[in-house]
Amino acid sequence: PSAVRALLLRGMCTMRGSEVLWMFGAHGGAAQLRPDGWAAFAAARFVTDADRALSDGSGVLRAYARALAGGEDASVAASGWMTWESQVTAAGPAAGQLENAPSGEYVLLDY
């Protein structure tokens, strides 16, 4: 405390259900911002059709939780998880965000 002059919080998540589903849900904001990245994340070999079909969008997250808990897919799941988080947290607009904007209009860049 007396030795700390400043603290920078890069990202903050209180792990509320809405925040988790925003980042890891099929219908969440992150999936909408990075649809290609989400498609790759959700296409992992251990994610079943039943996981993808859950109406609240949490099935892919549940599949990753199972895979990360152990077994032959743990390292594949860890790699997929890190790739997805890296894509979501990468600085800069999503691919096509500027190219697809209507001419002469402002564009809100998502970082």
Side-chain angles (χ1 to χ4, degrees), residues 2-111:
S2 63
V4 176
R5 289 184 7 190
L7 179 65
L8 173 65
L9 298 175
R10 182 187 150 282
M12 186 80 162
C13 180
T14 60
M15 300 308 291
R16 291 182 298 179
S18 61
E19 294 170 330
V20 171
L21 287 177
W22 187 95
M23 179 75 174
F24 299 105
H27 312 297
Q32 294 174 25
L33 291 173
R34 304 281 197 235
D36 293 339
W38 175 260
F41 182 68
R45 67 181 180 219
F46 51 83
V47 179
T48 68
D49 289 338
D51 292 322
R52 288 186 199 92
L54 284 178
S55 62
D56 69 354
S58 68
V60 173
L61 178 60
R62 292 169 192 251
Y64 271 84
R66 287 192 309 267
L68 289 167
E72 64 186 51
D73 289 322
S75 63
V76 173
S79 178
W81 186 282
M82 289 302 301
T83 299
W84 171 238
E85 280 199 352
S86 295
Q87 289 177 357
V88 172
T89 60
Q97 196 171 17
L98 294 176
E99 296 83 0
N100 297 327
S103 178
E105 292 188 19
Y106 289 101
V107 177
L108 175 62
L109 299 179
D110 297 306
Y111 289 92

